[in-house]
Amino acid sequence: MIIIQNGQLVSPSGLTRADLALDGGKIVAIQPHIQPGSGDTVQDASGCYVFPGFIDGHTHLDMDNGVTTTADDFASGTRAAVCGGTTTLVDFATQDKGGTLSEALAAWHKKAEGKSSCNYAFHMAITDWNEAVKAELPALFQQGVTSFKAYMAYDALKVNDAELLDILSALKPLGGILGVHCENGQLVNALQAQQKALGHFSPAAHPVSRPAEVEAEAINRLCYLGKLAGAPVHVVHLSTALGLAEIRAARKNGVTVYAETCPQYLTLDESLYKAPGFEGAKYVMSPPLRTPADVQALRKAVADGEIDTIATDHCSYNFKGQKELGLADFTKIPNGGPGIEHRPMVVYTSMVQSGELALTGFCRLLAEGPAKLFGMYPRKGVLAVGSDADVTIWDPQAKTVITAARQQQNVDYTPYEGFAVTGMPKAVYVGGQLAAQYGQPTGIVAGSYVKR
Ligand code: URP
Ligand code: ZN
Ligand code: ZN
């Protein structure tokens, strides 16, 4: 058995001083004091917080965007995840146009199996909706996929409004949840063309082509589609105050709307697109970084409990060779950025350390919230007897500086270069196995598929 002693156990309802025993991949005891027996391993958590392992509900690993493949695959991405304290991620298996959902699921299992340092589940991104695909849904649920994604932007991925409504209606009786990339794709295409017609080809044109209205209008439309279908909707990577206002209005209107935001929208802003040379390409992601006022509005929404989960949208491309594909044209820059390793540290330092967000809220947003939303609770997302032994021991005094030179992510930059961190994971257990210590992997590849 592993006995975690002297820590403060964190849950969304409060902190408790207790010891924890892990055995056979499960939490087997939680008591004020657990006496280790001979053969037990003791992990001292004095001065530390003990969290249910963090869950990242939005990652893109080993993803081919049609032109290039993400820099992180499941080996490097999950290794980086555990080093930051994340013990489970939910990656987006993505249907090929003309392909089936079961083919996509099989492909993603192949990418992840035997290589993953943390646990993994899959959302299924539906890009080609038709009756045959609809008929596949029950089989997907039987294989543990209960959450889905649709895109309202990107020509190669998007579905139209009628299809969205039909997907929502089909998922409703099955109890599935649909996460949606909310940007009006037609407007994005038109605004991108407008920027190019004006001779604007640099990364600075990226946010101009995807203004807040493009996100807010899509959120508004999605919420009405949810209302029509009588189904819940999940807005992924919320980035604007305007979009937040739409979510508030829809909730008032009786629609069940879940909201995810990401560390980049809570800490970085659009001024980065004006960085010298081509540096702004590092921040070309969709939706783009926003104004400082948006950042403040989202931080307040996080603190006030209006956001359900903070995920990364980790979608890493190297600056050299990959982001550079768009040197002459910002629309050719592969969209996305890295963050899988640094989410807990960035959110803890910038929001918990600063006093804006309570530890309980931090636990809800990074562990319990995604576990509940994605059907993993109470197996995950809580420290309870019988739950999986996924545990993150957090040293609130530990300091480091984020730098690409020392990161585990297999990418040549980080958007958080130079960010001074206070608070990092002392030890991370995946299924009761020690996967990382103070940001370094132990080499144990203990992740398994989470069938939901
Ligand atoms: O720019 C981003 N976010 N790329 C990843 C795909 C997506 O839109 O979630
Ligand atoms: Zn998206
Ligand atoms: Zn994404």
Side-chain angles (χ1 to χ4, degrees):
M1 274 201 307
I2 294 157
I3 316 289
I4 300 173
Q5 289 189 323
N6 307 317
Q8 295 274 348
L9 274 48
V10 187
S11 83
S13 52
L15 272 65
T16 317
R17 230 306 289 126
D19 293 352
L20 209 60
L22 316 180
D23 199 22
K26 297 281 175 191
I27 299 173
V28 293
I30 300 178
Q31 287 162 21
H33 178 71
I34 299 174
Q35 187 62 38
S38 65
D40 289 345
T41 304
V42 173
Q43 171 70 252
D44 183 31
S46 302
C48 292
Y49 301 119
V50 183
F51 289 98
F54 300 131
I55 298 170
D56 188 342
H58 187 152
T59 67
H60 303 272
L61 297 175
D62 202 352
M63 189 190 77
D64 177 359
N65 73 357
V67 178
T68 188
T69 301
T70 53
D72 280 297
D73 62 6
F74 276 82
S76 66
T78 60
R79 187 167 59 237
V82 291
C83 289
T86 294
T87 56
T88 300
L89 54 81
V90 194
D91 200 74
F92 287 96
T94 304
Q95 178 197 17
D96 284 334
K97 287 261 189 220
T100 66
L101 303 185
S102 73
E103 284 164 354
L105 183 59
W108 253 261
H109 272 298
K110 211 164 151 203
K111 290 171 194 270
E113 212 175 316
K115 291 181 215 154
S116 297
S117 298
C118 72
N119 304 309
Y120 55 94
F122 301 121
H123 309 288
M124 178 57 64
I126 300 172
T127 63
D128 198 353
W129 182 243
N130 54 50
E131 286 305 311
V133 169
K134 192 191 288 190
E136 281 194 86
L137 290 180
L140 264 280
F141 278 76
Q142 273 163 19
Q143 292 170 82
V145 176
T146 60
S147 51
F148 296 79
K149 183 175 186 186
Y151 290 86
M152 296 170 88
Y154 302 127
D155 290 342
L157 300 171
K158 74 181 181 207
V159 293
N160 66 34
D161 292 350
E163 290 166 336
L164 252 184
L165 181 63
D166 203 36
I167 295 171
L168 287 167
S169 305
L171 289 176
K172 186 183 169 188
L174 298 168
I177 180 80
L178 186 69
V180 181
H181 177 118
C182 293
E183 286 187 303
N184 182 321
Q186 260 187 346
L187 284 182
V188 169
N189 291 347
L191 294 172
Q192 285 182 333
Q194 207 174 78
Q195 284 303 299
K196 292 203 239 182
L198 290 166
H200 300 164
F201 288 92
S202 81
H206 174 69
V208 185
S209 70
R210 308 180 99 105
E213 289 77 4
V214 161
E215 176 177 83
E217 184 279 332
I219 292 175
N220 172 289
R221 196 154 28 100
L222 171 69
C223 291
Y224 277 118
L225 293 173
K227 185 157 194 232
L228 274 178
V233 293
H234 174 42
V235 175
V236 302
H237 49 47
L238 174 69
S239 67
T240 58
L242 215 53
L244 176 64
E246 293 294 347
I247 291 173
R248 285 182 183 141
R251 284 174 175 165
K252 268 201 186 139
N253 198 11
V255 187
T256 301
V257 189
Y258 299 102
E260 166 201 281
T261 192
C262 312
Q264 56 270 32
Y265 303 120
L266 300 170
T267 55
L268 308 175
D269 69 57
E270 64 182 10
S271 60
L272 289 162
Y273 293 111
K274 302 207 172 93
F278 192 57
E279 279 289 294
K282 292 179 176 173
Y283 312 97
V284 168
M285 56 188 72
S286 294
L289 301 176
R290 303 298 188 178
T291 67
D294 287 305
V295 172
Q296 287 315 314
L298 289 181
R299 289 173 75 98
K300 185 162 183 330
V302 162
D304 290 349
E306 292 182 283
I307 303 294
D308 298 283
T309 162
I310 299 177
T312 56
D313 194 8
H314 178 92
C315 188
S316 58
Y317 296 104
N318 285 308
F319 184 68
K320 286 260 159 254
Q322 291 193 296
K323 290 287 185 182
E324 283 177 350
L325 291 167
L327 261 172
D329 175 354
F330 73 97
T331 64
K332 303 246 171 5
I333 301 170
N335 276 211
I340 207 165
E341 186 172 346
H342 300 127
R343 172 187 65 138
M345 288 180 252
V346 168
V347 177
Y348 185 87
T349 301
S350 72
M351 292 203 68
V352 180
Q353 269 287 118
S354 69
E356 272 170 82
L357 178 65
L359 274 170
T360 49
F362 181 70
C363 183
R364 181 181 68 80
L365 288 153
L366 273 74
E368 188 194 82
K372 284 189 166 167
L373 183 58
F374 300 130
M376 292 186 264
Y377 188 88
R379 181 173 161 195
K380 302 197 181 291
V382 59
L383 296 174
V385 172
S387 293
D388 287 353
D390 300 334
V391 181
T392 297
I393 301 174
W394 192 262
D395 180 347
Q397 307 298 336
K399 290 190 192 301
T400 189
V401 175
I402 295 176
T403 172
R406 280 197 304 271
Q407 71 185 359
Q408 298 293 328
Q409 298 170 152
N410 185 34
V411 56
D412 61 4
Y413 79 98
T414 159
Y416 305 108
E417 186 67 39
F419 185 97
V421 162
T422 303
M424 65 184 295
K426 171 179 175 156
V428 182
Y429 290 90
V430 174
Q433 301 200 57
L434 186 61
Q437 287 177 298
Y438 282 117
Q440 293 305 308
T442 60
I444 294 174
V445 177
S448 58
Y449 175 57
V450 186
K451 190 170 181 217
R452 296 174 287 139

